[in-house]
Amino acid sequence: MTTSTTFLGLGAMGSALAAAALDAGRPTVVWNRTRRRAAALGERGATVAGGVEEAVAGDGVIVACLLDHRSVHGVLDPVAGNLSGRTVINLTTTTPNESRELAAWAAERGITFLDGAILAVPEMIGGAGSVIFYSGSAIAFEQHRALLDRWGESTYLGPDAGMASLYDMAMLTGMYTMFAGFMHGAAMVGTAGVPATEFAERQAAFLAAMTGGLAGLAAIIDAKDYTGEGQQSLRFTETALAALMRASNDAGVDAEVLKPVHDIVRRQIAAGFGEEGTARMFEELRSTR
């Protein structure tokens, strides 16, 4: 294997991606704005480039794992003229529209573009549980599959370059709201002297059990059947949420995490859907464009 892989950006994730390539015996070129971050990879055999132009001087695939969308343009725009006919894999966290903009930018310059969304922390790269979604060029996905699979389970979501990011953002929404809910609960029981670690043991098992209901919830949403038997009504959910907010306030815990959900439910009830299932909240949230 003589063609090198270039990694632009060596934060924790970029370094983990480059290290996995080195572990696979792939010739690797690395660049980072702060050069000292490249030292450890250089000691492992990577070629440390002094600048971006030097880093992309070869003919191999270029992997960008930078701070944000603006950073990608800041790094690639000055060397865009050298990238025609090359493949860029963007693993920077970007929004769906930002990923689509990068794909259009690349197409205008004859650059093959593949966008990726990493569903893992750096320590997981190359190991069990690491999953990365890709969208954009199907040819790039297949051509570089050996490299992609070194990082984790590779899933291609189609030619729309924004699809990987869309899935990523949607799944992270669930993660962050779950974390916020956990911390809210930990704050509540903490008022009674319960350690967060003890609460976590019970909460983790409960949340795992609750995820078993997601498939049924999804089926209701897709069928738009919010009046079927066995569904918890919006009116019941409003009562439960109101009680949770009162209990939080009584404990001196800010109920700000719960308020947006309570507000959505109340708007649905005000619109006349109180006896329909709680899954109808989806209709309040979904895009109408």
Side-chain angles (χ1 to χ4, degrees):
M1 185 182 299
T2 57
T3 302
S4 63
T5 301
T6 294
F7 291 86
L8 303 176
L10 300 174
M13 185 60 76
S15 294
L17 296 168
L22 285 169
D23 289 342
R26 301 179 69 95
T28 299
V29 178
V30 297
W31 171 86
N32 192 71
R33 196 177 303 278
T34 305
R35 189 179 174 90
R36 60 179 173 78
R37 288 189 176 179
L41 292 167
E43 292 172 359
R44 294 184 54 181
T47 299
V48 179
V52 178
E53 188 168 1
E54 179 186 339
V56 303
D59 59 358
V61 62
I62 298 162
V63 179
C65 190
L66 298 157
L67 177 63
D68 55 18
H69 178 252
R70 179 180 297 180
S71 300
V72 177
H73 274 297
V75 170
L76 294 184
D77 282 358
V79 297
N82 301 333
L83 303 182
S84 180
R86 304 279 295 281
T87 295
V88 170
I89 300 175
N90 177 48
L91 293 175
T92 305
T93 299
T94 49
T95 69
N97 282 344
E98 288 170 346
S99 297
R100 293 174 182 125
E101 187 277 330
L102 283 170
W105 173 90
E108 290 172 0
R109 292 158 178 79
I111 302 167
T112 300
F113 183 81
L114 184 67
D115 198 73
I118 304 172
L119 282 75
V121 295
E123 294 76 18
M124 294 169 63
I125 295 299
S130 177
V131 175
I132 305 181
F133 292 156
Y134 296 94
S135 56
S137 171
I139 293 174
F141 179 77
E142 292 301 333
Q143 183 177 358
H144 300 288
R145 187 67 183 269
L147 171 65
L148 308 184
D149 287 347
R150 291 296 307 179
W151 298 327
E153 180 184 333
S154 306
T155 301
Y156 180 67
L157 299 176
D160 175 358
M163 189 57 69
S165 174
L166 181 61
Y167 260 90
D168 183 40
M169 297 291 153
M171 293 176 74
L172 287 174
T173 297
M175 182 191 78
Y176 280 115
T177 52
M178 178 190 70
F179 285 163
F182 163 73
M183 286 182 274
H184 180 101
M188 290 182 71
V189 297
T191 63
V194 178
T197 49
E198 179 181 325
F199 177 65
E201 292 178 4
R202 293 176 167 82
Q203 178 76 321
F206 175 73
L207 290 176
M210 291 300 99
T211 60
L214 291 180
L217 193 63
I220 291 171
I221 290 170
D222 287 344
K224 298 188 181 301
D225 178 13
Y226 306 115
T227 59
E229 291 186 9
Q231 295 188 47
Q232 179 175 290
S233 73
L234 283 159
R235 201 173 300 282
F236 179 91
T237 298
E238 193 280 329
T239 300
L241 285 166
L244 289 174
M245 294 178 71
R246 289 197 306 275
S248 299
N249 291 328
D250 290 346
V253 174
D254 193 331
E256 194 66 25
V257 168
L258 295 168
K259 187 177 184 302
V261 183
H262 187 230
D263 288 347
I264 291 169
V265 172
R266 291 184 67 182
R267 287 197 296 271
Q268 284 286 293
I269 292 172
F273 302 112
E275 301 310 316
E276 297 193 18
T278 298
R280 203 185 192 289
M281 290 172 60
F282 173 80
E283 300 299 329
E284 182 90 10
L285 295 167
R286 69 184 181 89
S287 172
T288 56
R289 291 185 298 170

PDB file of all heavy atoms in Angstrom, residues 2 19 48 89 123 186 235 289:
ATOM      1  N   THR A   2       0.863   1.995  -1.072  1.00  0.00           N
ATOM      2  CA  THR A   2       1.744   3.150  -1.190  1.00  0.00           C
ATOM      3  C   THR A   2       0.997   4.474  -1.111  1.00  0.00           C
ATOM      4  O   THR A   2       1.578   5.491  -0.777  1.00  0.00           O
ATOM      5  CB  THR A   2       2.518   3.096  -2.519  1.00  0.00           C
ATOM      6  OG1 THR A   2       1.583   3.041  -3.598  1.00  0.00           O
ATOM      7  CG2 THR A   2       3.416   1.868  -2.570  1.00  0.00           C
ATOM      8  N   ALA A  19      -4.718   7.278  14.236  1.00  0.00           N
ATOM      9  CA  ALA A  19      -4.051   6.161  14.922  1.00  0.00           C
ATOM     10  C   ALA A  19      -4.567   4.825  14.410  1.00  0.00           C
ATOM     11  O   ALA A  19      -3.796   3.874  14.224  1.00  0.00           O
ATOM     12  CB  ALA A  19      -4.265   6.274  16.429  1.00  0.00           C
ATOM     13  N   VAL A  48       4.444  14.013   9.409  1.00  0.00           N
ATOM     14  CA  VAL A  48       3.860  15.238   9.942  1.00  0.00           C
ATOM     15  C   VAL A  48       4.109  16.375   8.949  1.00  0.00           C
ATOM     16  O   VAL A  48       5.259  16.750   8.692  1.00  0.00           O
ATOM     17  CB  VAL A  48       4.455  15.590  11.315  1.00  0.00           C
ATOM     18  CG1 VAL A  48       3.833  16.887  11.841  1.00  0.00           C
ATOM     19  CG2 VAL A  48       4.223  14.441  12.304  1.00  0.00           C
ATOM     20  N   ILE A  89     -13.212  13.119   2.706  1.00  0.00           N
ATOM     21  CA  ILE A  89     -14.177  12.553   3.651  1.00  0.00           C
ATOM     22  C   ILE A  89     -14.257  13.510   4.828  1.00  0.00           C
ATOM     23  O   ILE A  89     -13.275  13.724   5.545  1.00  0.00           O
ATOM     24  CB  ILE A  89     -13.735  11.160   4.134  1.00  0.00           C
ATOM     25  CG1 ILE A  89     -13.613  10.198   2.947  1.00  0.00           C
ATOM     26  CG2 ILE A  89     -14.738  10.611   5.167  1.00  0.00           C
ATOM     27  CD1 ILE A  89     -13.062   8.830   3.323  1.00  0.00           C
ATOM     28  N   GLU A 123     -12.272   7.041  22.232  1.00  0.00           N
ATOM     29  CA  GLU A 123     -11.746   5.784  22.765  1.00  0.00           C
ATOM     30  C   GLU A 123     -12.370   4.562  22.114  1.00  0.00           C
ATOM     31  O   GLU A 123     -11.816   3.466  22.182  1.00  0.00           O
ATOM     32  CB  GLU A 123     -11.971   5.733  24.281  1.00  0.00           C
ATOM     33  CG  GLU A 123     -11.187   6.755  25.078  1.00  0.00           C
ATOM     34  CD  GLU A 123     -11.757   8.157  24.984  1.00  0.00           C
ATOM     35  OE1 GLU A 123     -12.943   8.305  24.598  1.00  0.00           O
ATOM     36  OE2 GLU A 123     -11.016   9.113  25.271  1.00  0.00           O
ATOM     37  N   ALA A 186     -31.559  13.254  39.158  1.00  0.00           N
ATOM     38  CA  ALA A 186     -30.510  13.158  40.181  1.00  0.00           C
ATOM     39  C   ALA A 186     -30.579  14.346  41.134  1.00  0.00           C
ATOM     40  O   ALA A 186     -30.334  14.201  42.341  1.00  0.00           O
ATOM     41  CB  ALA A 186     -29.144  13.082  39.511  1.00  0.00           C
ATOM     42  N   ARG A 235     -54.142  14.089  27.793  1.00  0.00           N
ATOM     43  CA  ARG A 235     -54.663  14.670  29.032  1.00  0.00           C
ATOM     44  C   ARG A 235     -54.041  13.996  30.257  1.00  0.00           C
ATOM     45  O   ARG A 235     -53.679  14.667  31.225  1.00  0.00           O
ATOM     46  CB  ARG A 235     -56.190  14.545  29.067  1.00  0.00           C
ATOM     47  CG  ARG A 235     -56.854  15.527  30.023  1.00  0.00           C
ATOM     48  CD  ARG A 235     -58.363  15.487  29.893  1.00  0.00           C
ATOM     49  NE  ARG A 235     -58.835  15.832  28.563  1.00  0.00           N
ATOM     50  CZ  ARG A 235     -58.903  17.072  28.105  1.00  0.00           C
ATOM     51  NH1 ARG A 235     -58.526  18.087  28.861  1.00  0.00           N
ATOM     52  NH2 ARG A 235     -59.364  17.318  26.882  1.00  0.00           N
ATOM     53  N   ARG A 289     -42.522  21.837   6.403  1.00  0.00           N
ATOM     54  CA  ARG A 289     -42.031  22.306   5.124  1.00  0.00           C
ATOM     55  C   ARG A 289     -42.154  21.246   4.053  1.00  0.00           C
ATOM     56  O   ARG A 289     -42.078  20.076   4.335  1.00  0.00           O
ATOM     57  CB  ARG A 289     -40.557  22.723   5.251  1.00  0.00           C
ATOM     58  CG  ARG A 289     -40.367  23.981   6.096  1.00  0.00           C
ATOM     59  CD  ARG A 289     -38.922  24.429   6.092  1.00  0.00           C
ATOM     60  NE  ARG A 289     -38.064  23.405   6.682  1.00  0.00           N
ATOM     61  CZ  ARG A 289     -36.727  23.431   6.643  1.00  0.00           C
ATOM     62  NH1 ARG A 289     -36.125  24.422   6.017  1.00  0.00           N
ATOM     63  NH2 ARG A 289     -36.015  22.501   7.199  1.00  0.00           N
TER      64      ARG A 289
END
